């Protein structure tokens, strides 16, 4: 009896859970025309590592950095040219999220060593 009630409840909840799969949920700010994202670059990663916006939003991205180099948003070069970032400073970039998809964020270190991925920028389809 109890098991049967539980099974019915569990099946009834499945569609709700399926709609909440991480990565498929839209950011709560998706309906806004503009969004401001703040992140910190320390160690080898951005915090938070995954940055989210929705297509057609005007994005203001502020990155406080403890590293020096070139900040590079792959696949968004037409909107965000590779930009120098300096240790101890906050880089502010403003651009339009014209394309949906996932775009790697890289740092090209100032000392000329190999670039590395510091995070991912996801532009959701609203
Ligand atoms: Cu790069």
């Amino acid at each position: 009896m109890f098991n049967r009630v539980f099974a019915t409840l569990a099946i009834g909840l499945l569609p709700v859970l399926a709609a909440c799969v991480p990565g498929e949920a839209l950011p709560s700010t998706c309906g806004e025309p503009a969004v401001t994202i703040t992140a910190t670059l320390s160690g080898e990663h951005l915090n938070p590592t995954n940055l989210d916006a929705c297509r057609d939003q005007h994005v203001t991205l502020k990155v406080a950095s403890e590293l020096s180099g070139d900040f590079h948003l792959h696949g968004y070069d037409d909107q965000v040219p590779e930009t120098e970032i300096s240790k101890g400073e906050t880089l502010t970039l403003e651009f339009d999220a014209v394309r949906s998809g996932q775009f790697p964020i890289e740092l090209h270190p100032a000392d000329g060593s190999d670039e590395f991925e510091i995070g991912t920028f996801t532009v959701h389809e609203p």
Side-chain angles (χ1 to χ4, degrees):
M1 171 63 182
F2 177 79
N3 280 343
R4 189 177 201 156
V5 170
F6 182 76
T8 306
L9 279 175
I11 288 165
L13 284 172
L14 275 178
V16 176
L17 293 173
C20 296
V21 171
E24 300 208 346
L26 293 174
S28 59
T29 53
C30 212
E32 309 287 326
V35 64
T36 298
I37 303 168
T38 57
T40 304
L41 176 56
S42 62
E44 296 201 328
H45 291 284
L46 286 169
N47 183 20
T49 308
N50 298 305
L51 310 180
D52 296 276
C54 291
R55 187 172 50 77
D56 292 338
Q57 280 188 316
H58 185 73
V59 178
T60 302
L61 175 59
K62 295 176 189 250
V63 180
S65 185
E66 293 176 10
L67 303 173
S68 295
D70 285 331
F71 183 92
H72 187 200
L73 184 50
H74 277 260
Y76 254 77
D77 299 79
D78 53 344
Q79 301 294 319
V80 187
E82 197 169 311
T83 306
E84 197 176 336
I85 193 168
S86 298
K87 180 179 178 167
E89 291 180 1
T90 299
L91 172 69
T92 301
L93 298 166
E94 272 196 61
F95 60 97
D96 293 316
V98 294
R99 274 186 307 286
S100 56
Q102 282 201 307
F103 306 92
I105 307 168
E106 277 190 351
L107 185 78
H108 296 235
D111 66 7
S113 57
D114 286 348
E115 70 267 20
F116 56 91
E117 198 168 316
I118 55 174
T120 304
F121 179 59
T122 301
V123 180
H124 298 264
E125 196 60 36

